[in-house]
Amino acid sequence: MLPAMPLFDGAHILWRNGSVSSPTTTIGQVVYSAGGECGPRTQANWQLVVIHSGDCTLARNGKAERLAPKTIYLMRPGQREHFRFSTTGETHHSWCEVKPDRLPKYLGSQLSKMPDSVSCSETFLHLLQAAFGLQSALADNTKAVIDSIGVALLCEFINIHSKAVLSHEIDPCVFKAVHYMDGHYMEESCLTLAHRHAGVSRNTLINKFRTSLGTTPGNYLWKVRTENGISLLFHTGLSVSEIAFRCGFKNPFHFSRKVTQLRGCPPSQLRNHVP
């Protein structure tokens, strides 16, 4: 049994691994013993909460709901909230909170349009674990990493929702092919294997792509490769040739042509501009 810690917005808190923080971001995990509460309080930040085990009921703005395990819940600045944890056993949960002024305006705008919850992803859990691994060294550069992970967790929340919407809005065969290409775009055989994952004929998949996305599988793949190449142009010192080969292009000339079509200038000029 872990030792009880001082009160934190309530009672019955048992810390496990604690938290890491910067002036603008806090990421942590905590175990509440039976009967624990947190609040009532007015939320000041953007906060994400995940229940790993146990039970929790949340009253937000006067409306109560039971929080499901393995689900990420979004807490919004200004909302009133009161967490009541299991009365019969321990409840383990993690959270990430980021001050609103830490976020780019576009990200805050996106979050304001998000639903209250999404299913948790492996990527989200990996990001949490990466943050907890920073506990022992809270130098200034480490705090910058904490800030980055906090923003990444919020972005992953949005990403999970976007994928869920996409999976329901487009044909399942198209979704399978898109999912494969997004993860294997750098491979020479990506398009062939994406057709296989879709489970339909080549012509059928082309028609379904045109109906769902207004493009073909081949054009979609080249766009993914080009966009990832542009990201490498902005964020690495790799040469244009190295980037082209890493992103699945057979030569830098093809990559340059695709970049020019998408952005209006070749890679060498694009690299000199702030994205």
Side-chain angles (χ1 to χ4, degrees):
M1 180 68 70
L2 292 169
M5 295 295 288
L7 300 185
F8 177 77
D9 286 340
H12 310 293
I13 298 175
L14 306 174
W15 284 92
R16 184 169 297 164
N17 291 334
S19 64
V20 293
S21 63
S22 73
T24 60
T25 304
T26 299
I27 304 168
Q29 59 179 324
V30 66
V31 177
Y32 277 84
S33 58
E37 294 188 24
C38 179
R41 68 185 183 189
T42 299
Q43 180 61 249
N45 304 310
W46 290 104
Q47 186 179 73
L48 300 173
V49 174
V50 182
I51 304 297
H52 300 291
S53 62
D55 191 71
C56 178
T57 298
L58 167 66
R60 64 170 120 197
N61 294 332
K63 185 178 179 180
E65 61 182 310
R66 181 179 176 273
L67 302 190
K70 314 303 181 186
T71 301
I72 310 168
Y73 290 87
L74 176 64
M75 309 297 150
R76 306 166 192 272
Q79 75 177 20
R80 289 287 293 170
E81 55 195 38
H82 190 176
F83 295 83
R84 292 184 175 90
F85 299 96
S86 171
T87 58
T88 59
E90 294 182 350
T91 299
H92 175 204
H93 84 274
S94 296
W95 81 94
C96 166
E97 58 182 351
V98 181
K99 290 184 177 180
D101 58 8
R102 170 68 179 83
L103 299 181
K105 288 184 178 180
Y106 78 88
L107 187 53
S109 176
Q110 284 184 287
L111 286 170
S112 67
K113 301 172 185 175
M114 289 295 105
D116 289 336
S117 65
V118 299
S119 297
C120 195
S121 69
E122 288 297 317
T123 298
F124 190 89
L125 295 176
H126 287 320
L127 287 168
L128 284 177
Q129 289 305 312
F132 298 147
L134 299 171
Q135 282 181 276
S136 59
L138 292 182
D140 287 343
N141 58 338
T142 306
K143 292 177 182 178
V145 175
I146 294 169
D147 286 340
S148 297
I149 294 176
V151 171
L153 286 165
L154 291 169
C155 288
E156 176 60 7
F157 181 91
I158 295 171
N159 189 44
I160 294 168
H161 173 65
S162 299
K163 285 183 177 179
V165 170
L166 183 64
S167 67
H168 285 88
E169 287 188 347
I170 69 174
D171 187 284
C173 298
V174 175
F175 182 76
K176 289 178 184 178
V178 164
H179 182 71
Y180 186 85
M181 285 191 276
D182 286 348
H184 300 81
Y185 64 88
M186 68 294 294
E187 299 171 6
E188 185 176 353
S189 58
C190 178
L191 188 58
T192 300
L193 293 177
H195 278 111
R196 254 182 233 173
H197 275 74
V200 294
S201 70
R202 182 175 180 276
N203 287 338
T204 297
L205 186 62
I206 290 173
N207 290 332
K208 287 180 178 293
F209 253 78
R210 283 177 172 151
T211 300
S212 295
L213 302 179
T215 188
T216 65
N219 286 338
Y220 177 85
L221 176 58
W222 288 118
K223 186 171 185 291
V224 170
R225 286 172 167 170
T226 304
E227 288 175 341
N228 278 277
I230 289 171
S231 178
L232 291 177
L233 279 173
F234 287 137
H235 300 111
T236 75
L238 295 172
S239 69
V240 171
S241 294
E242 288 175 305
I243 291 173
F245 293 128
R246 286 195 182 198
C247 291
F249 291 88
K250 290 187 176 180
N251 60 69
F253 304 105
H254 187 197
F255 174 57
S256 180
R257 186 166 67 252
K258 288 293 183 181
V259 171
T260 302
Q261 289 173 356
L262 192 63
R263 290 298 188 93
C265 63
S268 57
Q269 291 183 24
L270 188 63
R271 180 166 248 168
N272 294 326
H273 292 77
V274 177

